Amino acid sequence: MDTSGPWTRASGATGLLTDGIARPTVFARISARAAQTGAANLGQGFPDTDPPHKAAAAAIAAIRAGHNQYPPGAGEPVLREAIALHQQRRYGLDWDPAGEVLVTTGATEALAATVLALVEPGDEVVTLEPFYDQYAALIALAGGVHRTVPLRIAPGADGDLATTVDAAELRSAFGPRTRMVIVNSPHNPTGAVLDREVLVAIVEEAVRHDALIVTDEVYEHLTYGPAHVPIATLPGARERTVSISSAGKTFSVTGWKIGWVTAPSPLVTAITGTKQWLTYTSGAPFQHAVAVGLRMPDEAIAGIADDLRERRDLLVAGLRSVGFTVGVPEAGYFVVADTAGLGEPDAEALCERLPTEAGVAAIPLTAFYRPGSAESAAAGSLLRLAFCKDRPTIELALERLAGWSGR
Ligand SMILES: *Cc1c(COP(=O)(O)O)cnc(C)c1O
């Protein structure tokens, strides 16, 4: 996209704090290319499977029942109660639906309102690298300083890609100016579930430096190994933690954009103060439907994860047979694959070519790094492929990749 135009400043600047965030994302670009070329789109992480029937029926019923106007700013009471009940029942976390739960326009708005409300210019914000790309944009919008801790991706003893976080490196990212650490477990893009020792080290450093913990848990229910441990359940964490989740990934409804925040009331009050100027409120009928979804029995939600695990296994096995070195994700929507073994050391260039060359779309892992960082260079041959797609799409992509790799 050309960002120049009659509205841009004479200097060519767009008026945004950094030029980088004004460009369309690689996800938008590659999804558009996939649509143009008819490529099997394993790029952007949206499912092409249906949501649970019960939740979809509840959304239609809510529209018919007249839930079509602005919901209360904090969210429909029925959803705030369902969120509080869910946190209590699943994790033993008690939150008051009247002051400690805030419904947002997806986890995206929850993250935006949280960072904009709580980070002042010059404050340092710690994340892992690679990171969900919105974090860097939000830190820039708030005028914060982004500090990163490497989440290293390298072949382990079994030859598969494995992820590690070095505790000493993690601790050294914190300092007197640290205002916030953004934790993302299960992690996008790698599908890693952070070890308890890493979570404990984060809480200890946050306490030592009086920093806030913001935890993005949108993949909390999509785990294929160890169950998710919310960082807010660790000793000393609750009072300084903002927990964020969303219905989009759990229920395969990324277009509904219903997310939420749970946190102690002074934090929720501050975040609400910003949120009211972003969207104010949204998604009335979907809020009712998500309240129904969150009350579904645990087995129904586990069934969604089991189904995804099968598609993960399908994609992992297929990518291996094509010749990629792969990581087996413990959670989430994505597999990371290394293309170096196929004689393709530059994943960014490959992802630009793949839709036309192979009829498949994937995202280069460098999209989740700071441009030009040392860690980004080390990830130059890695791609991210989504398995939240239906089986025929995954099978078609694998067939095409097999044909392409035999060029
Ligand atoms: C998809 C995603 C989000 C955004 O969630 P929405 O509810 O769609 O706004 C936030 N964080 C991570 C890690 C994600 O993968």
Side-chain angles (χ1 to χ4, degrees):
M1 187 174 79
D2 179 7
T3 53
S4 67
W7 56 86
T8 51
R9 297 184 182 163
S11 66
T14 55
L16 289 175
L17 281 166
T18 71
D19 280 340
I21 62 177
R23 288 199 293 270
T25 67
V26 63
F27 309 94
R29 208 175 61 242
I30 294 198
S31 275
R33 178 139 341 141
Q36 277 162 16
T37 57
N41 190 358
L42 305 191
Q44 204 169 15
F46 58 86
D48 52 13
T49 48
D50 286 333
H53 172 75
K54 223 174 154 176
I60 294 162
I63 291 173
R64 296 228 162 93
H67 295 297
N68 299 303
Q69 310 309 329
Y70 297 130
E76 291 285 2
V78 66
L79 177 55
R80 280 184 276 140
E81 275 156 31
I83 292 163
L85 185 71
H86 170 271
Q87 296 300 91
Q88 212 302 310
R89 210 169 48 77
R90 289 285 188 139
Y91 308 126
L93 286 166
D94 284 304
W95 300 111
D96 178 1
E100 296 180 316
V101 179
L102 172 67
V103 177
T104 57
T105 305
T108 304
E109 190 198 33
L111 286 159
T114 299
V115 172
L116 295 175
L118 302 172
V119 174
E120 300 287 330
D123 284 349
E124 294 185 1
V125 181
V126 176
T127 75
L128 293 172
E129 186 180 32
F131 49 84
Y132 182 64
D133 59 339
Q134 190 198 4
Y135 306 159
L138 291 176
I139 295 164
L141 283 170
V145 177
H146 192 178
R147 296 254 174 262
T148 55
V149 179
L151 176 76
R152 295 221 163 75
I153 307 168
D158 59 2
D160 285 342
L161 298 176
T163 55
T164 46
V165 177
D166 181 90
E169 266 176 332
L170 171 70
R171 290 183 190 275
S172 70
F174 286 78
R177 310 212 53 170
T178 307
R179 170 63 168 161
M180 177 183 288
V181 51
I182 306 180
V183 184
N184 174 214
S185 181
H187 182 255
N188 180 3
T190 62
V193 172
L194 297 183
D195 293 339
R196 181 176 278 268
E197 302 85 86
V198 172
L199 297 179
V200 167
I202 291 169
V203 176
E204 284 175 1
E205 293 305 318
V207 169
R208 190 185 332 270
H209 297 286
D210 196 21
L212 296 165
I213 300 168
V214 174
T215 173
D216 175 347
E217 305 187 349
V218 300
Y219 298 103
E220 61 184 314
H221 293 302
L222 307 182
T223 58
Y224 316 123
H228 170 63
V229 176
I231 197 168
T233 61
L234 268 53
R238 186 187 191 280
E239 71 206 55
R240 61 181 64 250
T241 299
V242 176
S243 300
I244 291 173
S245 194
S246 149
K249 307 293 162 61
T250 297
F251 300 113
S252 310
V253 292
T254 60
W256 287 11
K257 296 299 289 189
I258 303 296
W260 50 87
V261 170
T262 50
S265 102
L267 290 170
V268 166
T269 302
I271 296 163
T272 306
T274 297
K275 186 256 188 295
Q276 69 186 333
W277 304 117
L278 295 177
T279 59
Y280 172 48
T281 186
S282 64
F286 298 125
Q287 292 197 19
H288 286 268
V290 171
V292 170
L294 285 176
R295 286 172 187 271
M296 277 175 16
D298 292 355
E299 310 80 72
I301 294 179
I304 300 172
D306 288 343
D307 185 54
L308 268 163
R309 182 199 285 118
E310 285 175 17
R311 286 179 275 151
R312 172 198 72 169
D313 294 344
L314 174 69
L315 182 60
V316 163
L319 290 172
R320 271 196 191 122
S321 67
V322 171
F324 290 100
T325 306
V326 292
V328 183
E330 296 177 289
Y333 273 181
F334 308 105
V335 171
V336 172
D338 194 333
T339 67
L342 290 165
E344 295 280 356
D346 184 346
E348 270 181 28
L350 179 64
C351 287
E352 296 293 334
R353 285 180 1 237
L354 263 189
T356 38
E357 234 175 57
V360 176
I363 304 286
L365 217 70
T366 51
F368 304 89
Y369 291 78
R370 289 191 290 173
S373 73
E375 293 304 313
S376 169
S381 62
L382 301 177
L383 321 166
R384 192 196 75 170
L385 299 112
F387 56 85
C388 54
K389 310 296 174 171
D390 59 22
R391 277 182 160 265
T393 302
I394 296 172
E395 281 162 358
L396 178 66
L398 289 171
E399 224 169 83
R400 288 176 172 181
L401 283 171
W404 165 82
S405 72
R407 307 166 278 173

